[in-house]
Amino acid sequence: MAIVVRLDVELARQKLGVGEFADLVGLTPANVAVLKNGRARAIRFSTLEAICRVLQCQPGDILEHVPGGDGEDVPGGAGEDMPGVGSETAGGGGARTGVPQD
């Protein structure tokens, strides 16, 4: 299965720039870019909640399941990388995307 992030669509629809959005959500612009470009491997519910609060949308407005995407029904493929759930690591750079925890 592939989860497609439609954050760019919502940002454009609301005429909100990456820098301003990043400030409102509590992320760095680089981490917003990781989400926008589909390179994030995970997202914390607290980050998703902050995104939805700022954009006044539902999670389904920014996340879409596309059947038959990369690794679907393949052992070890996408979606089976469960040990890192919540770790928020993005592919390659180890960037973290999340709202700072209090």
Side-chain angles (χ1 to χ4, degrees):
M1 101 180 137
I3 302 295
V4 178
V5 180
R6 304 274 186 219
L7 185 58
D8 55 341
V9 174
E10 281 300 309
L11 290 176
R13 199 186 85 183
Q14 297 194 23
K15 298 178 182 156
L16 195 58
V18 170
E20 182 181 0
F21 175 73
D23 287 341
L24 291 170
V25 174
L27 297 173
T28 66
N31 285 336
V32 172
V34 167
L35 286 169
K36 272 183 55 176
N37 297 327
R39 294 187 317 249
R41 294 182 47 110
I43 185 169
R44 288 187 178 139
F45 283 132
S46 59
T47 302
L48 185 58
E49 187 278 328
I51 290 170
C52 290
R53 178 178 32 81
V54 167
L55 296 177
Q56 298 179 347
C57 68
Q58 294 295 315
D61 296 330
I62 56 172
L63 300 175
E64 179 183 356
H65 172 254
V66 179
D70 293 333
E72 184 168 314
D73 297 328
V74 176
E80 294 199 21
D81 190 13
M82 297 304 288
V85 170
S87 69
E88 304 263 340
T89 56
R96 294 182 54 86
T97 53
V99 175
Q101 301 297 313
D102 294 307

